[in-house]
Amino acid sequence: MKAIEITKPKQLTKIRVPSPSDPVAHEVLVKVHCVGICGTDVSSYLGKFPFFDYPRIPGHELGVEVIAIGEHVTKVKIGDRCSVEPYMHCGNCYACRKGKTNCCENLNVIGVMSDGGLCEHFLINAEKLHPSSSLSYEQLALVETLAIGSHALNRLNLQKEDHVLIIGVGPIGLAALEFVKLAGVRVTIMDMVEQRIKFCSQHYPIDSSITVSPHKDMNEEVKKVTNGDKFSVVIDATGNSRSMSNALSYVAQSGRLLYLGVTTDDIVFPHAALHRPEMTLMGSRNALADDFVQTIELLENGDIDTKSWITHRLRFDEVVERFESVIDPSSNAIKAIINL
């Protein structure tokens, strides 16, 4: 069957791989309809993602169809449209025993640590599929990104009086924004790309925005927006070590900072920046099964609408030729979807 691999940094290759075998007990064979291109795929393509080995078939944001099932599968049936929870956990480590399968010590994320869904068909454990009778394959391919936002906001447990700053409003920042909006708290966005600021202003009821510029004192900009208080919650979704290091200076006394992006670089800050405000510093990784279920319900009910997200669509046979142009910042892409 046909597939596309990242052969080495900055090289995509069309390949042929053996078709999967029939599913065994608890397995499902799925047909891939849609694959989302996310920041992890871009970082892996550029050689900047810490958990990626080459060569690798990418693809973990997936909208798939069940075409065969193995024994003992009851969660899905043939013909079901599903989102894929791409985090394969061991079930035995400390994190798994605590129910934190998203940060399993032996975690295997398909499309990152093992081959993913940028191919025609693949096998997967039925428990990692989340069906919907009403969502399109494109919507289902966006569920994983949104579930990451769901998980982050569940960790933060926002209060009505919180004022949240989201730094970096690419797809992961947008996912966080969706759930901040549902929480009904004040929200400010910050980005260095003016087009992203405009996109959010057009599609979301944000309270204020800050455009990052080398000509501005960002600490003063933050004080203006918050009347000198800074933000009770800061979410950094950039994956940029400089931004993540600076983010502490935007957090109010007793506030919380959550890192939602990933970087291979060191994050550096003076201890006093953390200690003086008695700040809570948090990480948020991947998502749990309940986050997928919650996200699908919100999409089905219309509480989340992602129509404006998909700005670029590619056919499978266009990926190798168009990938670089789509991920170039000048394309102003919010989310690109590959249709198989």
Side-chain angles (χ1 to χ4, degrees):
M1 68 176 179
K2 63 184 181 181
I4 292 175
E5 71 175 15
I6 304 178
T7 307
K8 61 183 181 180
K10 297 188 177 181
Q11 181 178 320
L12 288 173
T13 308
K14 294 179 183 177
I15 60 173
R16 303 290 299 188
V17 296
S19 296
S21 58
D22 292 335
V24 298
H26 307 292
E27 278 190 334
V28 172
L29 179 65
V30 298
K31 177 180 179 181
V32 181
H33 284 265
C34 290
V35 182
I37 299 174
C38 84
T40 298
D41 300 317
V42 175
S43 294
S44 300
Y45 174 76
L46 296 174
K48 296 181 178 180
F49 196 73
F51 312 121
F52 196 88
D53 295 318
Y54 304 90
R56 175 74 66 233
I57 297 172
H60 63 276
E61 297 181 355
L62 302 166
V64 303
E65 176 188 359
V66 176
I67 59 174
I69 60 175
E71 291 182 339
H72 312 303
V73 172
T74 58
K75 185 176 182 180
V76 295
K77 62 183 184 300
I78 293 174
D80 278 354
R81 297 192 299 268
C82 300
S83 178
V84 175
E85 182 186 338
Y87 322 124
M88 305 299 120
H89 65 280
C90 72
N92 299 314
C93 70
Y94 176 80
C96 287
R97 296 198 306 271
K98 296 284 287 184
K100 306 296 185 181
T101 56
N102 62 302
C103 55
C104 166
E105 292 176 31
N106 305 297
L107 193 68
N108 176 1
V109 181
I110 64 170
V112 181
M113 298 145 182
S114 62
D115 285 339
L118 195 47
C119 58
E120 293 179 89
H121 309 97
F122 66 92
L123 291 165
I124 191 166
N125 187 299
E127 290 305 309
K128 294 297 182 178
L129 294 178
H130 298 278
S132 171
S133 60
S134 60
L135 298 184
S136 69
Y137 289 114
E138 286 191 343
Q139 288 175 301
L140 289 164
L142 294 177
V143 169
E144 192 265 348
T145 299
L146 287 161
I148 290 172
S150 168
H151 183 67
L153 270 294
N154 285 335
R155 281 183 55 69
L156 283 167
N157 189 27
L158 295 181
Q159 306 300 309
K160 290 296 183 182
E161 65 273 14
D162 278 326
H163 188 174
V164 178
L165 171 66
I166 300 175
I167 308 173
V169 281
I172 293 297
L174 285 178
L177 180 56
E178 287 282 1
F179 287 91
V180 171
K181 179 189 71 173
L182 290 171
V185 302
R186 288 180 295 165
V187 60
T188 298
I189 60 171
M190 178 187 289
D191 205 297
M192 63 188 302
V193 180
E194 186 62 36
Q195 183 61 32
R196 288 180 174 178
I197 298 285
K198 290 180 180 178
F199 177 87
C200 291
S201 300
Q202 291 170 355
H203 297 286
Y204 294 92
I206 59 173
D207 295 280
S208 54
S209 63
I210 301 171
T211 303
V212 177
S213 167
H215 307 296
K216 295 179 181 178
D217 183 328
M218 300 312 298
N219 289 318
E220 287 301 315
E221 293 293 316
V222 165
K223 288 179 181 178
K224 287 178 187 177
V225 169
T226 61
N227 296 318
D229 288 337
K230 300 187 181 180
F231 296 95
S232 59
V233 175
V234 174
I235 300 171
D236 192 302
T238 64
N240 178 285
S241 59
R242 183 176 179 182
S243 173
M244 296 164 78
S245 298
N246 291 337
L248 283 80
S249 62
Y250 308 146
V251 182
Q253 300 296 109
S254 76
R256 290 161 284 165
L257 169 60
L258 182 141
Y259 289 136
L260 196 49
V262 179
T263 181
T264 57
D265 298 325
D266 291 341
I267 301 169
V268 180
F269 52 83
H271 173 248
L274 173 70
H275 188 83
R276 185 182 297 115
E278 198 179 52
M279 186 188 306
T280 300
L281 181 61
M282 307 173 70
S284 183
R285 186 182 182 192
N286 301 326
L288 295 167
D290 285 348
D291 298 308
F292 281 77
V293 173
Q294 178 191 25
T295 298
I296 288 173
E297 289 178 353
L298 290 167
L299 283 164
E300 289 176 335
N301 295 337
D303 296 310
I304 293 178
D305 184 357
T306 56
K307 289 177 185 174
S308 60
W309 280 37
I310 303 174
T311 55
H312 293 67
R313 291 177 172 86
L314 297 81
R315 298 189 309 274
F316 180 90
D317 58 8
E318 297 177 308
V319 173
V320 172
E321 292 76 17
R322 290 186 57 194
F323 191 83
E324 282 212 6
S325 64
V326 168
I327 68 172
D328 190 289
S330 64
S331 73
N332 292 323
I334 300 297
K335 174 60 71 173
I337 294 285
I338 301 166
N339 288 286
L340 275 73

